[in-house]
Amino acid sequence: MTSVLDLAPVIPVVVLDDAADAVPLARALVAGGLPAIEVTLRTPAALDAIRAIADGVPDAVVGAGTVLTPTAVNDSVTAGARFLVSPGWTDTLLAAMKASGIPFLPGVSTASEVVALLERGVSEMKFFPAEAAGGTAYLKSLSSPLPQARFCPTGGITAESAASYLTLPNVHCVGGTWMLPADALAAKDWDRVESLAREASTLNLTRRA
């Protein structure tokens, strides 16, 4: 895998409190056509969940989100993460992500941050928090002066708004949670998760080199 942006139009952003739910959840998402799964490092169960998906769902491409430190980078890779996502970046964190040897999406929310990453040889980024940082209008305004930057917007995106992001020339996928409603997760309703994932996987996205 050279780019996580090209696996599917949507990357589910998963927060798991119980690692036992990781495998059935991942199987539902993959069956629905969403193989790239970002498990956020926001709970004590996150690394165990990544490990369980990596070991038990071979068709999933599991990644670690909310990666904030070099230690988190190392722990995620050891657990089996195949890509890394951070809400922002520093030179120290960026160096660790580069050294990991797997794809990564450092977070940006301003033109200056985008330029700084391009200067460092990074052209694929997470745009976060997408809605709060200006949404589709902001990303559209970046496309002409910074056409080499490719984005995965995440933060506040819904089933209704995702399609408008995916029409932009610099957006190659979006991150979201709408296919993971809290009541479905609480009820372990994996069939519903699969159905919502299948709907999300059909969002139109023209792949660009």
Side-chain angles (χ1 to χ4, degrees), residues 16 18-20 22-23 39 41 43-55 79:
L16 283 172
D18 186 351
V23 166
V39 177
L41 302 183
T43 69
L47 289 173
D48 286 337
I50 290 170
R51 190 174 295 108
I53 295 170
D55 292 341

Side-chain angles (χ1 to χ4, degrees), residues 131 135-137 157-169 171 174 203-204:
E131 286 290 287
T136 56
I157 298 176
T158 65
E160 293 71 31
S161 65
S164 61
Y165 280 92
L166 292 170
T167 63
L168 299 176
V171 171
V174 300
L203 287 168
N204 185 39

